[in-house]
Amino acid sequence: MTQTPTRVNPTPEDLVTPTVFDGVLIPLSALVEARRTTDRPRIEGLTFRNCVIQGPAVLVPNSTTTFESCNLGEAAGDRRNLFLKAVGPMIIGGLSAAGCQFESCVFLGVGFAGNEAMIEQFVGHLAAGGAQA
């Protein structure tokens, strides 16, 4: 069963230094912008627990990014609506998330992009109860 954060604190002022975010609102645009001007420009190796992850955005998780007990957001009755399939070898304009962990998070206005195999695996994970749409 997916847990939803019961209390979410405002977005922290420092979105660059922490590697773990717990119980906070994370607007993906603010996270990317804050990190872009530093020596940590990517969403990489971060852990998000009990957070609300806010779009609008398209997240491109790699094979080492995990989603446990997350609510992926409103899918208008069909979980496939959350996913965008890459038709070429690259995804331009999406936010790469490499080696991140999302635990008990809620996603608002976020889509997920990848190749067909990634999407099939993700949809299978949803069907098995690993995350919720």
Side-chain angles (χ1 to χ4, degrees):
M1 180 75 146
T2 299
Q3 302 271 342
T4 52
T6 55
R7 181 168 183 240
V8 178
N9 293 309
T11 304
E13 287 186 33
D14 182 4
L15 291 171
V16 177
T17 307
T19 58
V20 176
F21 296 94
D22 196 344
V24 295
L25 172 67
I26 301 289
L28 287 172
S29 59
L31 179 66
V32 169
E33 192 58 35
R35 297 177 76 79
R36 184 183 326 245
T37 60
T38 70
D39 62 340
R40 297 181 179 131
R42 300 171 47 163
I43 303 173
E44 185 172 24
L46 303 176
T47 299
F48 302 89
R49 290 188 192 109
N50 304 303
C51 291
V52 173
I53 310 296
Q54 183 179 33
V58 173
L59 201 59
V60 184
N62 74 356
S63 62
T64 61
T65 294
T66 60
F67 298 83
E68 292 299 326
S69 300
C70 290
N71 180 331
L72 299 182
E74 175 55 45
D78 188 337
R79 64 184 69 151
R80 295 174 302 169
N81 291 337
L82 294 169
F83 302 100
L84 301 161
K85 182 171 66 173
V87 294
M90 294 178 64
I91 297 173
I92 305 298
L95 304 177
S96 175
C100 293
Q101 296 178 2
F102 295 92
E103 302 168 8
S104 300
C105 293
V106 173
F107 291 81
L108 301 175
V110 177
F112 302 87
N115 62 26
E116 192 165 342
M118 172 275 203
I119 293 171
E120 287 178 18
Q121 180 182 9
F122 219 134
V123 171
H125 186 67
L126 284 171
Q132 178 180 327

